[in-house]
Amino acid sequence: ELVNGVDVTDIREVTSAITSGHPLLVRNLLVRKMLRRETETCLPVGSSFHVESEPTRINTLEQAHYDAIVNYPFHDPSAKMLRLRKFCLESETKYERLYEAIDIALQRPKYLESGTPPKIVVAESSFARGITRDNTDQRDVDLTIGDHIAARLARDLPQEVKIFVLDGLNSRWREQVIADFEKHTGPSVLLTLTSVMGEGIDISCASDGILITPPQTKARREQFARRMN
């Protein structure tokens, strides 16, 4: 069988092609020889996985604002997308639903029954501004300052709930942030991005995860969810 002119049944020819060719050739040669398994078939016996979707509808006033942006004739599509994304991030309805979801998770009976503190990971699919920092890409060290979601949660949630933040601005200290989140002895919430979590991150100390905006692919959503206990 020839792939890109290489006989993939001949290991010497494959090795020579990989050595002398572009590194991406490895993927092109192997992709037809690999099987992707469903996540469920790879889970240990007894593992469970439950996902709940909660669509949020903005209120009448916000809907009118949203429609005005969509119908505004003097912005090109790119400018409209940026304005719409900023609008959605600043939606009071969205924040209220997120706060409610966190509050429900913090009070799940499983934490009382096990005696372990609630640990919840809240992630956005791609856009940090408005979630962990303000819309000028700045984030104050003091989470009590600012109007982004992480700062608002720090102010609005009960005082004993500690907020941790992990995004592109502090991803170099990712392991330390995760370790501090895991070691914290009280209820805690980690605000992050699915792109920052990436491969190789262990957040099995958390038992609840909230995705603010669903990722574009099922694989990325499950990669985030499967990292938790």
Side-chain angles (χ1 to χ4, degrees):
E1 180 182 357
L2 295 180
V3 178
N4 293 349
V6 177
D7 182 0
V8 296
T9 63
D10 187 333
I11 189 62
R12 292 186 178 180
E13 188 171 345
V14 171
T15 302
S16 175
I18 291 174
T19 302
S20 60
H22 193 282
L24 287 181
L25 184 60
V26 177
R27 179 196 64 189
N28 297 337
L29 291 173
L30 297 181
V31 68
R32 300 185 185 185
K33 296 296 183 180
M34 298 172 65
L35 292 176
R36 291 184 61 89
R37 302 180 66 188
E38 291 291 330
T39 307
E40 287 73 14
T41 66
C42 301
L43 289 174
V45 176
S47 294
S48 61
F49 181 62
H50 179 65
V51 175
E52 297 178 12
S53 297
E54 293 288 343
T56 299
R57 293 188 63 86
I58 56 180
N59 60 42
T60 303
L61 181 61
E62 289 182 331
Q63 185 65 58
H65 187 183
Y66 184 94
D67 293 340
I69 297 174
V70 171
N71 297 320
Y72 189 68
F74 302 111
H75 281 311
D76 59 42
S78 296
K80 281 189 179 182
M81 289 297 293
L82 287 174
R83 287 173 62 89
L84 287 171
R85 172 159 272 188
K86 182 175 181 293
F87 165 79
C88 290
L89 286 170
E90 296 174 345
S91 165
E92 280 301 309
T93 303
K94 181 176 183 177
Y95 178 76
E96 290 167 4
R97 292 292 292 116
L98 175 60
Y99 181 90
E100 179 184 347
I102 293 174
D103 186 55
I104 291 173
L106 287 170
Q107 300 181 56
R108 290 194 190 279
K110 63 183 179 183
Y111 295 117
L112 294 175
E113 295 169 358
S114 65
T116 58
K119 291 188 181 295
I120 302 162
V121 179
V122 178
E124 176 60 283
S125 59
S126 62
F127 204 60
R129 286 179 293 175
I131 305 300
T132 60
R133 43 192 144 118
D134 64 30
N135 283 294
T136 60
D137 261 356
Q138 300 298 312
R139 188 183 70 232
D140 296 296
V141 176
D142 185 355
L143 282 175
T144 61
I145 301 174
D147 292 324
H148 45 84
I149 286 178
R152 293 185 66 182
L153 287 174
R155 294 195 297 267
D156 296 345
L157 287 171
Q159 189 174 3
E160 64 269 18
V161 179
K162 184 172 178 59
I163 301 295
F164 292 86
V165 169
L166 178 61
D167 65 11
L169 292 182
N170 64 344
S171 60
R172 70 179 67 181
W173 300 289
R174 186 172 60 176
E175 289 77 11
Q176 186 60 53
V177 174
I178 296 294
D180 292 342
F181 173 65
E182 181 175 0
K183 293 175 183 176
H184 185 64
T185 57
S188 52
V189 177
L190 173 66
L191 274 290
T192 187
L193 305 175
T194 54
S195 57
V196 174
M197 298 306 291
E199 291 82 358
I201 291 296
D202 179 9
I203 51 172
S204 57
C205 61
S207 295
D208 284 282
I210 299 172
L211 279 170
I212 300 175
T213 304
Q216 295 180 347
T217 64
K218 176 183 176 183
R220 177 159 287 188
R221 183 195 71 185
E222 290 200 354
Q223 186 182 69
F224 165 74
R226 299 288 183 183
R227 297 188 187 284
M228 287 169 280
N229 183 12

